Amino acid sequence: MNDRTFSIRRYFSKPRRKALIAGLTVLVSIIFLETVIPLSNNVFVLVTIAFSAAISTYFLMERGERLQLNIEDQNLALNQAVRNLEKSRASLQEIIAFSPVPTIIANDTTNRPEYFNNKFIETFGYTLDDIPTIESWWEKAYPDENCREEARTRWEEGVQEALEKNTHLETRERDIVCKDGTRKSATFDMMPIGKKSVIVMTDITERKKIEKELRESEERFRSLFQDSADAYLILDENVFVDCNQATIEMLGASSKEEVLSTHPSQLSPEFQLDGRLSSEKADEIIRIALEQGSNRFEWIHRRMDGEDFPVEVLLTPISVGEKTIIHTVWRDIRHPQSSGKHI
């Protein structure tokens, strides 16, 4: 059935058809009686009133049905909107529940957490039974009183500012104590939504561990680099960008500044023993090191006082982020038992 047919049938529904037929019957009767048997004015008035009442009843019923249908349409639309909202809410709850990052929903009015997702429970061990109030969170996550007060003060100041500006809380980083007593590092992001707040946490414990190991490794390398008896240098784009104290002493330089920002050929005689230009040969052996992963060879360098001396050189490319530097080692081979210092 199409909409036009449905509209016509609804317009001429059974109650309205009865009222319309009654009105038409009264009208026909009046015309017939007035033609065949003249009626008194009172009878004619009464019949006219009856007809008017029938017609009025018809229109009132028609308006009532329209109002009823309008209400029914609004109820249908409202029910559909409620179903859509419930569906969206269920989808949102499912997304939060299975989110790969720990998430908390807190009620800012009651100052209580309302929801911990699966990842939060898995990462930190706490459930709503363990943390029924925000106060219990501070006590368990920060058992040290001084640490707790400092963390709480900074958090509450940040939250108050976020609520006043209706914006997200600037990312915070804290170490917290888990239910099993272990410590984990995490970042916190909070977004107020109405009278509730969504707090998203990221476990950065492993990242912090790796960063610490990298720092320690860098410190060990730096210590070996600086304390080595051999001359250690760093090449970046074919110029020296760092060197150790042994390099300064081997070249007879007064400071690093005399060595850094120079091409290897600038610390060498113009020609090597094979007659090739130091500038051309230096670029070639650097290219070979980059292509083969390392390059060991003998070279003639020149001290600041003009004295030439032979060294064994080892070039080793090292990837640092998106660039490659070359770790350079000079070993003085003038004396078999040389300590690496010029004598």
Side-chain angles (χ1 to χ4, degrees):
M1 181 187 303
N2 59 37
D3 293 340
R4 182 176 179 83
T5 303
F6 175 76
S7 178
I8 294 172
R9 292 191 61 178
R10 185 178 68 179
Y11 191 81
F12 290 105
S13 59
K14 188 172 181 179
R16 274 185 274 171
R17 287 201 303 271
K18 288 183 177 179
L20 183 60
I21 290 172
L24 292 173
T25 301
V26 171
L27 180 60
V28 171
S29 299
I30 291 172
I31 295 172
F32 175 76
L33 291 174
E34 183 66 22
T35 303
V36 179
I37 306 173
L39 299 175
S40 66
N41 290 336
N42 290 337
V43 173
F44 181 78
V45 170
L46 290 175
V47 173
T48 302
I49 291 172
F51 173 72
S52 299
I55 294 299
S56 298
T57 300
Y58 166 77
F59 284 112
L60 287 173
M61 291 179 67
E62 189 273 342
R63 180 174 176 79
E65 286 194 12
R66 284 189 178 181
L67 290 173
Q68 182 179 358
L69 287 171
N70 188 37
I71 292 171
E72 289 175 355
D73 290 342
Q74 290 180 354
N75 286 338
L76 288 173
L78 179 61
N79 291 336
Q80 184 62 45
V82 170
R83 285 194 295 270
N84 292 338
L85 180 61
E86 290 176 348
K87 186 177 179 180
S88 298
R89 182 180 300 172
S91 298
L92 179 60
Q93 289 178 342
E94 185 175 1
I95 291 171
I96 294 175
F98 295 100
S99 171
V101 293
T103 304
I104 301 172
I105 297 178
N107 189 312
D108 298 325
T109 302
T110 62
N111 205 29
R112 291 175 177 271
E114 291 186 347
Y115 180 77
F116 294 161
N117 75 342
N118 298 336
K119 193 63 178 180
F120 176 89
I121 297 172
E122 175 190 331
T123 303
F124 303 105
Y126 296 116
T127 64
L128 282 175
D129 292 333
D130 302 315
I131 311 290
T133 64
I134 298 298
E135 185 65 33
S136 58
W137 162 256
W138 292 117
E139 292 176 356
K140 293 185 177 181
Y142 305 94
D144 180 83
E145 186 174 353
N146 292 331
C147 179
R148 181 194 315 149
E149 289 306 312
E150 188 268 337
R152 184 171 187 169
T153 299
R154 290 190 60 193
W155 176 262
E156 290 178 348
E157 289 175 353
V159 169
Q160 184 61 35
E161 182 180 354
L163 292 174
E164 289 175 357
K165 296 181 178 180
N166 194 30
T167 185
H168 68 88
L169 176 70
E170 182 181 351
T171 301
R172 304 295 173 91
E173 181 180 319
R174 303 294 306 185
D175 290 340
I176 62 176
V177 177
C178 302
K179 185 176 180 178
D180 61 5
T182 60
R183 288 182 175 271
K184 290 191 175 182
S185 299
T187 59
F188 297 75
D189 290 276
M190 189 275 286
M191 183 67 185
I193 303 176
K195 296 182 179 180
K196 298 185 180 182
S197 295
V198 177
I199 303 165
V200 177
M201 305 167 66
T202 303
D203 182 5
I204 59 171
T205 307
E206 285 301 315
R207 191 190 80 187
K208 298 277 284 187
K209 180 181 178 182
I210 293 172
E211 289 175 351
K212 181 181 179 182
E213 291 174 350
L214 286 173
R215 284 195 303 270
E216 292 174 350
S217 176
E218 183 179 351
E219 290 171 2
R220 287 194 299 270
F221 174 79
R222 174 60 58 181
S223 178
L224 291 171
F225 183 88
Q226 294 294 347
D227 299 339
S228 172
D230 290 324
Y232 281 5
L233 305 94
I234 300 296
L235 273 169
D236 184 7
E237 297 185 356
N238 292 16
V239 296
F240 294 117
V241 295
D242 199 3
C243 69
N244 64 355
Q245 184 61 30
T247 304
I248 297 172
E249 294 175 4
M250 188 178 289
L251 289 169
S254 58
S255 66
K256 278 188 176 184
E257 283 66 27
E258 289 187 80
V259 179
L260 304 187
S261 300
T262 61
H263 186 272
S265 63
Q266 294 175 266
L267 302 175
S268 310
E270 184 177 2
F271 296 95
Q272 289 297 303
L273 294 178
D274 60 1
R276 297 185 61 187
L277 284 169
S278 294
S279 57
E280 293 179 357
K281 190 170 183 179
D283 288 339
E284 180 183 337
I285 59 179
I286 291 172
R287 177 181 55 79
I288 293 173
L290 291 170
E291 291 175 354
Q292 297 182 357
S294 67
N295 192 10
R296 187 188 295 270
F297 55 93
E298 292 186 2
W299 189 264
I300 302 297
H301 274 296
R302 176 169 289 175
R303 287 168 49 84
M304 296 301 170
D305 60 10
E307 179 188 350
D308 295 340
F309 64 97
V311 293
E312 181 184 66
V313 181
L314 175 63
L315 302 181
T316 305
I318 301 173
S319 295
V320 179
E322 297 181 355
K323 65 188 305 183
T324 299
I325 61 175
I326 298 178
H327 181 249
T328 306
V329 181
W330 294 350
R331 181 164 297 170
D332 191 339
I333 57 176
R334 288 175 296 179
H335 308 289
Q337 301 300 323
S338 173
S339 64
K341 297 182 180 180
H342 178 69
I343 299 175

